[in-house]
Amino acid sequence: MADCIFCKIAKREIPSDVVYEDESTLAFLDISPASLGHTLVIPKAHAETLEKLNEKDLKSLIITVQKISKAISKISEGYNVLQNNKEVAGQIVHHAHFHIIPRKHGDGIHFNRPNPKFSEKETRQIIERIKTLLK
Ligand code: 5GP
Ligand code: ZN
């Protein structure tokens, strides 16, 4: 897509610190890393969000995510894999991507917070809605 920054990175029209590349995926360092080695993995073909990826690109993408995770697991105490979809969920760049964030104890990164409670009725309703949409 013409105005997409990650498409431009995939086509090498703008520079990035690439750590891995294959036919359909690219992994490069985040320009504003949450920790040293914070890596982004993208499909080379544009898709805005996870659910819009075709199956072939999705499979290649998750295989690359695991490949990068294997390397990062050797240079960290643990790691987070994050994937944001739509602005409400924190997506800034509208080209699907996974974050792989190396972690170490005491690094000060926090994702956990108290979760709201839902009624039994609300829970049953959402189960039915999701199941219906999956049919
Ligand atoms: P999102 O919030 O969309 O899941 O994450 C987008 C990520 O892309 C952010 O962590 C941001 O720092 C990173 N980013 C945005 N623009 C660029 C860029 O031009 N180059 C690189 N390497 N990372 C970028
Ligand atoms: Zn794109």
Side-chain angles (χ1 to χ4, degrees), residues 5-6 9 14-17 28-34 38 40 82-87 89-99 101:
I5 194 139
F6 284 0
I9 286 175
I14 62 169
S16 70
D17 293 310
F28 54 96
L29 295 188
D30 194 297
I31 204 167
S32 177
H38 179 169
L40 301 174
L82 300 180
Q83 204 276 319
N84 302 323
N85 297 282
K86 302 281 183 87
E87 281 172 17
Q91 185 177 16
I92 296 165
V93 178
H94 296 273
H95 178 129
H97 56 277
F98 281 87
H99 296 252
I101 302 174

Side-chain angles (χ1 to χ4, degrees), residues 44-55:
K44 287 183 175 175
H46 184 86
E48 195 176 328
T49 47
L50 185 74
E51 83 280 4
K52 289 182 177 160
L53 280 163
N54 67 51
E55 201 174 309

Side-chain angles (χ1 to χ4, degrees), residues 56-74:
K56 188 168 171 283
D57 283 344
L58 179 61
K59 283 181 181 166
S60 305
L61 192 61
I62 202 67
I63 285 166
T64 300
V65 168
Q66 193 193 40
K67 207 179 274 280
I68 303 302
S69 297
K70 280 182 183 168
I72 282 183
S73 72
K74 295 192 175 115

